[in-house]
Amino acid sequence: DFTFTTQGLPVNYTYKPFYATHHRQYSIYSRVADSSELVAEQYYITDRVLAGNSASESAHNMGTTGTIATGVYRANRYRNTSNGGTISYDLKVSADSGIQHYVMLTYFGYEGANQGFFNVYVDNNLIGAQGSIEHLKQFTWPKGYFKVPKTLTEGKSTVRVKIESTSGKIASFYGVAMVTEAYLQVYD
């Protein structure tokens, strides 16, 4: 077996040689990045939280109120809150005051009619609201973007992002990131 530790992620991957897996369908698609590519990615994604990962959430000073849960679905961790509960994290923003930031939430894509319905805040300022995300059923791992007014990031290195569920509804997400407008132009 061949094991290596990735840079920038708290995960080890184990690869098996093809001869050891001849009886199974097996494919590998890996993107290997050098340090210059990792620096370039930071221009697009200033920070991210791995939902449901205690080390990542602790490093981002996770705070909660009300009903919250975490779990694993299809090998991906998620975090959710319901009935007016909140989940919040500290996320880094670019020091360049001219940069436009967005809070990016990753969803599963096959949520039911009772999921969605939450508000997104940055430093206790409402920046967006989401209704039902059931319409995303045709997509896998879709993203939701919430534009952060530049006045909320100017002169700051971090901001507090809070997701607040609506009473009687569930707000679920598989990842939270702070991305720049350049990310939307390149990746979305």
Side-chain angles (χ1 to χ4, degrees):
D1 291 348
F2 172 61
T3 303
F4 68 94
T5 303
T6 58
Q7 288 184 351
L9 295 174
V11 177
N12 288 328
Y13 293 96
T14 302
Y15 287 93
K16 293 185 178 189
F18 280 114
Y19 71 83
T21 59
H22 62 86
H23 58 286
R24 310 178 114 192
Q25 288 185 331
Y26 194 86
S27 295
I28 299 174
Y29 297 96
S30 293
R31 181 173 174 263
V32 178
D34 64 20
S35 60
S36 66
E37 288 178 301
L38 293 173
V39 169
E41 183 181 86
Q42 290 174 356
Y43 175 73
Y44 301 118
I45 304 171
T46 59
D47 205 359
R48 70 174 59 156
V49 179
L50 304 173
N53 177 296
S54 59
S56 179
E57 290 181 326
S58 178
H60 291 89
N61 300 314
M62 183 177 88
T64 62
T65 63
T67 306
I68 62 160
T70 189
V72 178
Y73 187 71
R74 294 204 176 167
N76 290 285
R77 294 194 155 281
Y78 67 86
R79 174 70 65 187
N80 72 29
T81 183
S82 59
N83 297 317
T86 67
I87 300 171
S88 57
Y89 303 102
D90 290 337
L91 292 174
K92 295 175 191 168
V93 293
S94 174
D96 183 348
S97 62
I99 299 287
Q100 178 63 64
H101 293 85
Y102 292 80
V103 173
M104 179 179 75
L105 298 177
T106 303
Y107 312 115
F108 170 55
Y110 289 88
E111 284 86 352
N114 201 35
Q115 292 181 306
F117 304 99
F118 56 86
N119 295 319
V120 178
Y121 298 85
V122 168
D123 290 339
N124 289 318
N125 294 283
L126 179 66
I127 64 162
Q130 177 67 58
S132 173
I133 54 177
E134 184 180 26
H135 66 281
L136 299 174
K137 283 189 174 185
Q138 70 266 25
F139 304 107
T140 303
W141 309 115
K143 312 278 192 268
Y145 300 96
F146 302 88
K147 188 175 185 177
V148 180
K150 289 181 183 179
T151 57
L152 297 179
T153 61
E154 288 176 350
K156 297 180 182 178
S157 59
T158 61
V159 295
R160 187 80 174 162
V161 174
K162 178 172 70 174
I163 294 111
E164 176 186 53
S165 64
T166 303
S167 182
K169 305 294 183 181
I170 302 168
S172 296
F173 53 89
Y174 288 77
V176 179
M178 185 65 70
V179 301
T180 65
E181 191 161 33
Y183 176 92
L184 297 178
Q185 295 168 355
V186 173
Y187 295 104
D188 195 48

